[in-house]
Amino acid sequence: MTQPTDLGGGATFDLAAVEREMRREDAYLREGHTARTLVREPGLRIILIAMKAGARMAEHRASETVSVHALSGHVRLGLPDKTVELPFGRLLVLEKGLRHDVEAIEESAFLLTLGWKSP
């Protein structure tokens, strides 16, 4: 299992291999989605999320600015005033505190990047 990486000197990831590994995990099989933190630094988190077709993540919000980059499939994000379609290759940036939910229209994977000011 891939653990969060120390960036001392740089880091590379085979995202397709990590996604395949994640899709075999119990959480993915049971709940329809799973997440793996790839980078955990004081001002940055990068998380790979895999979802089965039809899976949903309930409404939530991040306390900082986030980006959602669709790597495969197609996800739909419900925002307070609109719905955003995020097919493969699309990138969405959300301001901090914006409530949203996520639905996988088809089997999907996306990178969630969270950044914030270090204390």
Side-chain angles (χ1 to χ4, degrees), residues 54-114:
R56 296 184 57 85
M57 296 173 73
E59 185 178 76
H60 58 281
R61 64 177 162 197
S63 57
E64 299 300 333
T65 302
V66 301
S67 72
V68 181
H69 181 184
L71 300 175
S72 65
H74 182 158
V75 294
R76 177 180 295 140
L77 282 84
L79 307 178
D81 61 346
K82 64 182 174 181
T83 299
V84 176
E85 302 292 332
L86 212 59
F88 160 75
R90 290 275 177 98
L91 175 70
L92 172 67
V93 178
L94 299 174
E95 65 183 314
K96 67 180 181 176
L98 186 63
R99 292 185 117 359
H100 59 282
D101 60 30
V102 183
E103 176 186 8
I105 304 307
E106 55 190 68
E107 186 174 271
S108 303
F110 57 93
L111 275 181
L112 177 66
T113 303
L114 300 100

Side-chain angles (χ1 to χ4, degrees), residues 9-58:
T12 61
F13 300 91
D14 181 340
L15 297 175
V18 176
E19 179 184 347
R20 283 191 302 273
E21 182 181 299
M22 291 170 62
R23 291 188 189 282
R24 292 189 301 265
E25 293 177 357
D26 289 340
Y28 178 81
L29 298 171
R30 184 179 56 250
E31 299 167 24
H33 59 85
T34 190
R36 179 87 49 88
T37 300
L38 303 175
V39 175
R40 181 180 293 136
E41 289 289 313
L44 177 69
R45 297 287 187 282
I46 301 175
I47 303 161
L48 179 60
I49 299 171
M51 297 179 74
K52 287 183 180 181
R56 296 184 57 85
M57 296 173 73

